[in-house]
Amino acid sequence: MKRLHPGRLLAALAGLLLVLAVPIPRASARVLATRFDGRPEIVVLPVHLPPAGQRALVVVLHGGLGNAALVEARRAESPLNMDREAARHGFIVVYLDGTRAALMFAASRLAWNAGGGCCGRPARRRVNDVAYIGAAVHALIRGYGIDPARVFAIGHSNGAMMVQRMLCETDLFAAGVALSGPLELPVSTCPAARGRRILAIHGAADRNVPVAGGRGSRGLSRVAFASEARSRRVFTASGASYDLRVVRGAGHKLAGLDAAFRLVTGESIPGAAARFFGLAPYTSVSSTTAG
């Protein structure tokens, strides 16, 4: 486990934030709002892509009470937005939607059945999000000339838990980035995960989903979450690699986690994800330190 210590100048961070917050020009990509199996999905197709059959796909899973449209428009969970990296490095992005989180919330507030009782109505109703995501991705592979070996995923909170469930139960993703969300399945091994790679980034001060596990003092979920250490143990015992980065001073909000991560590494979470997936060259500004 690498414990990250923010120690760079806030002025430098402010400059990075300003640059990376600028949305990609729509001329550099087509953004298609479509539907699959009754759910909305947003597909981002950069103008410059490799030949059909060689293309990569990054699947983005929103957090609890979020949705795909909010992420793609940078109105919420903006560090999940992979559009700029896609335009820069030539890969396809899809933003998928869960299902309604709870009847007490608007129908646009969604969640995933990530297993282990998380989270909300999708878990209680046993929504088969594993099958849905798998079918949606396979349809995209067929429709857009994507190499099945170059499919990756990134998610935040409940979406990160869903990414980890997919990596545990399927061979759909070659690698995944899980932000502030551990593996919630009550399992000791994940046979499908052999050879897969996971990058987990979690704030040390997260009071919604504590990095050490248990019930958080904030947030609406009453779930006693698993720990990141337990997630790493399960995946490594299954033959996967699990790179856990605990970011000191960062909480659950993705903007704060991204800001603290940039202070230490000199790159944004989307940039680090693209590099981790092998879709961008290594351009690290500084090394991390173990705590």
Side-chain angles (χ1 to χ4, degrees):
M1 177 182 71
K2 295 178 181 177
R3 187 172 294 271
L4 305 184
H5 304 273
R8 298 188 177 274
L9 294 175
L10 290 176
L13 173 61
L16 281 171
L17 284 169
L18 181 61
V19 170
L20 294 171
V22 178
I24 62 168
R26 287 310 191 197
S28 65
R30 287 187 297 151
V31 180
L32 308 177
T34 64
R35 297 185 73 85
F36 181 83
D37 197 20
R39 302 193 203 183
E41 65 178 18
I42 301 173
V43 182
V44 178
L45 299 170
V47 171
H48 301 292
L49 284 170
Q54 300 177 27
R55 296 168 181 167
L57 172 69
V58 174
V59 179
V60 179
L61 303 183
H62 61 77
L65 302 183
N67 63 56
L70 289 174
V71 176
E72 201 284 323
R74 299 177 188 269
R75 292 171 55 199
E77 300 179 292
S78 59
L80 275 183
N81 188 297
M82 295 294 293
D83 291 8
R84 177 172 288 275
E85 297 300 323
R88 182 178 296 152
H89 301 296
F91 58 86
I92 298 170
V93 182
V94 64
Y95 299 87
L96 297 180
D97 266 344
T99 56
R100 191 169 184 173
L103 293 177
M104 65 183 289
F105 298 118
S108 61
R109 299 297 183 176
L110 310 177
W112 304 97
N113 176 14
C118 186
C119 290
R121 193 167 181 252
R124 291 193 300 273
R125 294 169 65 91
R126 298 184 180 179
V127 175
N128 195 343
D129 283 321
V130 172
Y132 166 73
I133 294 170
V137 168
H138 283 298
L140 292 166
I141 289 171
R142 294 189 299 269
Y144 294 105
I146 294 162
D147 180 354
R150 303 187 73 209
V151 179
F152 311 95
I154 182 171
H156 172 237
S157 191
N158 178 220
M161 298 169 196
M162 193 68 221
V163 168
Q164 297 215 42
R165 179 174 192 175
M166 296 298 296
L167 286 161
C168 182
E169 295 186 340
T170 79
D171 61 359
L172 186 67
F173 301 138
V177 173
L179 308 171
S180 309
L183 176 69
E184 285 298 302
L185 293 173
V187 297
S188 57
T189 60
C190 295
R194 179 167 294 278
R196 309 294 163 178
R197 298 182 300 115
I198 301 101
L199 171 62
I201 304 174
H202 209 126
D206 192 329
R207 289 190 282 173
N208 293 62
V209 182
V211 68
R215 286 185 173 84
S217 60
R218 290 187 175 180
L220 299 173
S221 175
R222 297 181 180 178
V223 173
F225 295 105
S227 69
E228 288 286 7
R230 181 252 181 194
S231 303
R232 182 178 55 182
R233 188 164 57 249
V234 170
F235 276 110
T236 54
S238 305
S241 68
Y242 198 91
D243 184 0
L244 174 58
R245 312 286 185 92
V246 178
V247 185
R248 180 171 292 180
H252 191 71
K253 288 186 178 180
L254 192 48
L257 181 64
D258 183 53
F261 186 80
R262 288 189 218 176
L263 280 172
V264 176
T265 67
E267 64 182 345
S268 67
I269 284 175
R275 181 168 55 79
F276 181 74
F277 296 147
L279 303 177
Y282 183 85
T283 56
S284 179
V285 174
S286 64
S287 61
T288 60
T289 57

